[in-house]
């Protein structure tokens, strides 16, 4: 399942989820990396750690096994994070969502089918770091698709609306004119 | 001062060497690593081409894997 661009279609914007989302998931890995060292320290003290690292010992073996598992698990999570991508082209909005190693979903909608776009920033850290969800309401079978945890959702919303304007050939800026009282 | 040795001896238990067990675990870990690595590399080669230097990611991953596998091997 791959994204193939149509004739004359070009990529205008490509965004991954905000880095903070992955940083939060990485805290678990930091704990997992430190765990064997903490256990070893509690069991034997600092002066004896060197003896485990020097020669062949089951401690070194199981530490290697532990770190290998953590390393592979970390890379699976990294793949999961990095292969989630939002792509805006001059014809479509595409959202690729990778779920683990064996599930991948590509949602796309044509710009002329977009009915409404809204940006949502909810929570303390998303507010400080300016990331959140973008909801794209469409006229298609899938009524709405949500682009999760994108950086600067307001900018993305405006960009989609601008491209929608270009796609249906109406100006993106809406000029509000006040009616003067007669 | 008499003889201080005990009139009996404790039975000795000969524990089997841990090496075959560790080698077995190493072998299983190696097979699982190869399977997961193949799946991960497949993902990066197929889907990662749009997003980052795939070769860099794969190289960093493989360096880590080799490092930890050698760490395990040293421990046997």
């Amino acid at each position: 399942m791959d994204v193939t661009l149509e004739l004359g279609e070009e990529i205008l914007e490509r965004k991954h989820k905000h880095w903070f989302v992955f940083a939060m998931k990485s805290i678990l890995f930091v704990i997992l990396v430190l765990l064997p060292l903490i256990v070893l320290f509690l069991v034997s003290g600092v002066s004896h750690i060197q003896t485990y690292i020097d020669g062949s010992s089951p401690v070194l073996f199981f530490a290697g096994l532990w770190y290998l598992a953590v390393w592979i698990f970390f890379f699976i999570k990294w793949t999961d994070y990095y292969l989630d991508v939002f792509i805006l082209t001059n014809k479509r909005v595409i959202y690729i969502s990778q779920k683990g190693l064996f599930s991948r979903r590509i949602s796309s909608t044509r710009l002329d089918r977009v009915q409404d776009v809204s940006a949502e920033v909810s929570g303390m850290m998303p507010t400080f770091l300016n990331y959140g969800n973008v909801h794209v309401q469409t006229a298609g079978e899938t009524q709405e698709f949500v682009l999760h945890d994108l950086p600067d959702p307001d900018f993305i919303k405006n960009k989609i609306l601008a491209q929608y304007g270009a796609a249906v050939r109406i100006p993106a800026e809406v000029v509000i004119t006040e009616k003067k009282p007669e | 001062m008499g003889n201080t040795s005990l009139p009996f001896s404790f039975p000795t238990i000969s524990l089997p060497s841990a090496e075959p067990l560790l080698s077995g675990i190493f072998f299983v870990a190696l097979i699982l690593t190869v399977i997961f690595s193949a799946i991960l590399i497949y993902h990066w080669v197929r889907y990662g081409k749009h997003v980052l230097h795939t070769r860099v990611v794969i190289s960093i991953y493989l360096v880590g894997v080799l490092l930890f596998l050698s760490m395990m091997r040293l421990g046997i």
Side-chain angles (χ1 to χ4, degrees):
Chain A
M1 203 159 50
D2 226 341
V3 179
T4 313
L5 297 182
E6 295 170 7
L7 198 67
E9 187 175 22
E10 49 186 281
I11 293 174
L12 304 170
E13 199 72 49
R14 179 186 290 144
K15 294 269 184 194
H16 298 279
K17 286 185 177 179
H18 196 273
W19 60 266
F20 187 74
V21 176
F22 187 68
M24 287 307 287
K25 286 180 182 171
S26 300
I27 291 173
L28 171 70
F29 293 102
V30 174
I31 295 167
L32 291 178
V33 165
L34 293 176
L35 199 64
L37 296 173
I38 292 167
V39 169
L40 210 59
F41 172 71
L42 290 176
V43 169
S44 63
V46 167
S47 56
H48 293 284
I49 287 179
Q50 190 65 30
T51 57
Y52 290 118
I53 299 166
D54 277 348
S56 68
S57 81
V59 175
L60 191 64
F61 175 83
F62 285 110
L65 183 65
W66 176 266
Y67 285 123
L68 181 68
V70 171
W71 184 247
I72 292 172
F73 188 40
F74 173 80
F75 258 82
I76 290 171
K77 283 284 169 195
W78 166 254
T79 305
D80 193 354
Y81 162 77
Y82 212 82
L83 295 186
D84 277 6
V85 62
F86 155 75
I87 300 168
L88 176 67
T89 72
N90 55 346
K91 291 184 179 177
R92 284 184 295 168
V93 177
I94 303 164
Y95 186 60
I96 303 166
S97 178
Q98 183 80 32
K99 302 260 179 224
L101 288 180
F102 301 105
S103 173
R104 186 175 164 85
R105 183 177 180 176
I106 300 178
S107 318
S108 81
T109 186
R110 302 194 70 81
L111 282 167
D112 54 10
R113 297 184 75 88
V114 170
Q115 289 188 328
D116 183 44
V117 186
S118 60
E120 176 200 2
V121 176
S122 174
M124 189 176 74
M125 290 315 288
T127 305
F128 287 143
L129 298 172
N130 191 22
Y131 73 90
N133 303 336
V134 177
H135 298 258
V136 182
Q137 200 82 35
T138 69
E141 199 175 298
T142 311
Q143 293 269 301
E144 182 186 64
F145 69 86
V146 186
L147 319 169
H148 293 281
D149 300 322
L150 292 177
D152 205 349
D154 213 34
F155 168 78
I156 291 170
K157 181 198 82 177
N158 291 337
K159 190 111 186 184
I160 293 171
L161 285 175
Q163 280 310 308
Y164 167 77
V168 297
R169 296 177 197 282
I170 59 161
E173 293 87 13
V174 178
V175 182
I176 300 165
T177 49
E178 257 182 56
K179 270 190 179 176
K180 286 181 184 172
E182 289 170 10
Chain B
M1 299 290 279
N3 189 0
T4 54
S5 63
L6 294 169
F8 61 92
S9 60
F10 287 105
T12 53
I13 304 162
S14 58
L15 289 169
S17 166
E19 198 182 315
L21 177 69
L22 296 187
S23 299
I25 296 172
F26 178 78
F27 185 66
V28 172
L30 187 67
I31 290 171
L32 289 175
T33 303
V34 168
I35 292 168
F36 275 108
S37 302
I39 296 167
L40 267 171
I41 290 168
Y42 169 80
H43 271 78
W44 277 98
V45 169
R46 182 161 179 196
Y47 305 122
K49 60 191 170 197
H50 299 301
V51 288
L52 196 79
H53 303 291
T54 301
R55 283 180 194 169
V56 176
V57 176
I58 292 172
S59 305
I60 293 170
Y61 169 73
L62 288 178
V63 166
V65 165
L66 289 175
L67 180 77
F68 297 128
L69 281 174
S70 4
M71 196 169 153
M72 285 174 74
R73 195 70 201 135
L74 280 174
I76 295 175

